[in-house]
Amino acid sequence: MSVGLAPAADRLIVTTEADWNDAWYLVCMKVSTIGFVVVDARERVAALDALRAAGITDISGYLDAHPAVADRLRHGMVILDVNEAAVRMFGAAGRADMIGQRTQRFFDPLCTAQVNSARAFATGATAFQQQAHSVRLDGSRFETLFCVVPRADGATSGLWLASFVDITEHVQRQTSLNTLRDELAHVARISTLGELSASIAHEIGQPLSSIGMTAGAMLRLLDRDNLDRDLLRRQCQRIVDQVARAGDIIDRTRRMATKRDSVRTLVSVAEVLTESVQFVRHDLDRIDVRFSLACAGSDALVQADRIQLQQVFVNLLMNAIQIHRHARTMMPEIMIETSDHGASVVIDILDNGPGIDPVNAERLFDGFFTTRAEGLGLGLGICRTIVAAHGGSIEAGARSHAPGARFSVRLPLHRT
């Protein structure tokens, strides 16, 4: 195959070496900020064709099951030409340092971009883009936005054009912002736990009190002449159960207080809400709140950090409780309702308190804004940040047909 491009009626076709100076090529090669690489992908195209000829239709699944084949595809591309931006980006002395090398030399061994591009083109894609872990000639790593398109229609010629944009600084800034967000979230959790200290102490006190009473009863049983072993066994089991309950409370509190990296898993919205209510149960009881939790579609699942979602709902519940406490609401109510909206689930936290002051409505989610003298003003701002990081949204407003406030959290649903 000759390498080069010449203009045809409405497209560009592969022809001879002398035609590399046509317009599209000049534009790409002269760009000073984007690294362009012309790639000979004939080996990869031939390998994919061989898989199809063997009757394999699910090429993506086949590559998952045969990592050696996927690795061969990573090695199946050779660099034909590069522009000066690519030379600088990859730390080469000149174009000759890169031309003729196989492309995997410039990707981290664990980077999936090359194999994923093969999957994409095998299923009919006309372009591919992914963040990639790239490697300079001196071995140093950096982050790029990697894009590749087949130069000719259908990707059958094997002449592909790849581009690299160095996004290392952007990734570092994003990492710093995520770290700052997690730091603020941790501060807000500690603040919330401080407000919940009476509730936590009460929760732990209940099983400890039960353990003490049961142990006293066991001592009295041991003083009897006719020892009832079955009753003694039941009392021992009661102590074991209460110890487990106290341990669960301590573990739950420790998880909320621990500073750690965000970990996202598939979680049940109903379970997270139930766990969040456990944190504030004593505070609900202290002001005699009539509380209800109604989960429509209790099997709703979201991809989320369980502790961060708990933080959001605990904070919203605590705000509602404090509003009732300060306003001295007659017959206070707090309701949680969930509803399925196709691609998302909406969780509404409703109360029958005085509602949201219109003067404060626009500033409600601003950092360090608070209407309470003892408040830090971090809670609602962190709630919005956490929800947004999960691809969702949060809003506040008045209830539709009753007095009070409504906070609505919308999260994308995980569909199996």
Side-chain angles (χ1 to χ4, degrees):
M1 181 186 102
S2 58
V3 286
L5 300 173
D10 60 349
R11 62 187 178 90
L12 297 171
I13 60 173
V14 179
T15 56
T16 64
E17 183 74 24
D19 292 319
W20 275 113
N21 288 330
D22 104 315
W24 76 266
Y25 182 76
L26 282 175
V27 170
C28 293
M29 292 298 127
K30 297 300 181 182
V31 172
S32 61
T33 56
I34 301 175
F36 281 101
V37 178
V38 181
V39 175
D40 179 356
R42 284 176 296 174
E43 287 185 32
R44 171 181 283 190
V45 171
L48 291 173
D49 287 344
L51 292 178
R52 293 190 192 92
I56 297 168
T57 55
D58 181 9
I59 291 181
S60 182
Y62 183 85
L63 295 178
D64 286 336
H66 299 81
V69 176
D71 192 56
R72 284 201 298 275
L73 289 179
R74 290 178 61 247
H75 289 69
M77 297 195 295
V78 178
I79 295 175
L80 296 175
D81 200 6
V82 297
N83 68 349
E84 288 300 321
V87 170
R88 292 191 301 272
M89 190 179 295
F90 287 95
R95 293 167 60 236
D97 286 349
M98 298 181 68
I99 293 174
Q101 294 217 43
R102 292 192 176 269
T103 54
Q104 85 273 6
R105 167 68 181 78
F106 300 95
F107 289 89
D108 186 284
L110 298 179
C111 182
T112 61
Q114 286 186 288
V115 173
N116 287 343
S117 67
R119 298 176 197 273
F121 291 129
T123 55
T126 57
F128 174 80
Q129 175 178 301
Q130 180 182 322
Q131 182 177 327
H133 307 302
S134 298
V135 180
R136 299 183 183 91
L137 284 173
D138 64 4
S140 58
R141 266 64 170 168
F142 66 112
E143 298 298 315
T144 59
L145 181 63
F146 167 66
C147 308
V148 61
V149 293
R151 189 64 201 98
D153 293 342
T156 56
S157 73
L159 185 66
W160 292 4
L161 178 67
S163 67
F164 295 84
V165 179
D166 189 338
I167 58 171
T168 305
E169 290 186 7
H170 169 77
V171 171
Q172 290 173 342
R173 284 195 299 270
Q174 190 61 48
T175 300
S176 297
L177 286 173
N178 290 340
T179 300
L180 179 59
R181 181 196 68 203
D182 291 344
E183 291 278 359
L184 287 173
H186 181 241
V187 170
R189 281 202 301 275
I190 296 301
S191 173
T192 302
L193 286 174
E195 295 175 355
L196 288 168
S197 58
S199 180
I200 294 168
H202 177 78
E203 272 201 88
I204 295 176
Q206 284 186 324
L208 290 179
S209 175
S210 178
I211 290 169
M213 292 173 61
T214 304
M218 290 175 66
L219 288 173
R220 290 191 293 275
L221 285 173
L222 291 171
D223 289 336
R224 293 182 180 180
D225 293 333
N226 298 322
L227 185 61
D228 187 336
R229 293 182 178 275
D230 288 338
L231 178 58
L232 191 62
R233 186 176 293 105
R234 290 196 297 273
Q235 295 295 328
C236 286
Q237 186 60 52
R238 185 177 180 185
I239 288 178
V240 170
D241 293 342
Q242 292 302 316
V243 168
R245 180 185 170 194
D248 288 342
I249 296 166
I250 293 168
D251 286 344
R252 194 169 71 237
T253 306
R254 184 187 293 115
R255 286 196 300 270
M256 181 72 85
T258 299
K259 181 180 175 182
R260 75 208 209 304
D261 293 334
S262 179
V263 178
R264 296 193 184 184
T265 58
L266 207 56
V267 299
S268 161
V269 172
E271 287 181 7
V272 171
L273 289 171
T274 301
E275 292 163 355
S276 302
V277 171
Q278 289 175 350
F279 270 108
V280 301
R281 174 58 66 185
H282 179 59
D283 291 272
L284 291 169
D285 294 340
R286 278 202 299 176
I287 60 171
D288 197 23
V289 174
R290 186 163 63 181
F291 175 79
S292 65
L293 171 60
C295 291
S298 57
D299 58 345
L301 300 175
V302 296
Q303 193 76 27
D305 183 307
R306 192 183 203 93
I307 301 302
Q308 288 188 355
L309 282 194
Q310 285 179 7
Q311 180 176 356
V312 169
F313 297 128
V314 166
N315 189 275
L316 295 176
L317 287 168
M318 283 299 295
N319 282 353
I321 291 168
Q322 288 160 355
I323 286 293
H324 281 316
R325 185 182 298 142
H326 295 157
R328 298 173 184 259
T329 308
M330 296 294 293
M331 300 180 67
E333 292 182 343
I334 296 175
M335 293 144 284
I336 301 179
E337 300 173 355
T338 73
S339 52
D340 192 325
H341 289 253
S344 60
V345 60
V346 173
I347 303 98
D348 290 315
I349 291 89
L350 311 160
D351 66 65
N352 65 337
I356 298 170
D357 189 336
V359 174
N360 300 326
E362 292 187 2
R363 301 181 59 197
L364 211 54
F365 293 98
D366 291 351
F368 302 104
F369 173 75
T370 180
T371 58
R372 294 187 291 121
E374 72 276 15
L376 293 178
L378 288 174
L380 288 178
I382 289 296
C383 286
R384 182 174 63 178
T385 300
I386 290 173
V387 172
H390 284 77
S393 61
I394 182 171
E395 61 178 30
R399 291 177 62 186
S400 298
H401 305 293
R406 170 189 55 82
F407 283 84
S408 296
V409 176
R410 182 182 292 269
L411 294 169
L413 274 172
H414 176 85
R415 297 294 188 187
T416 55

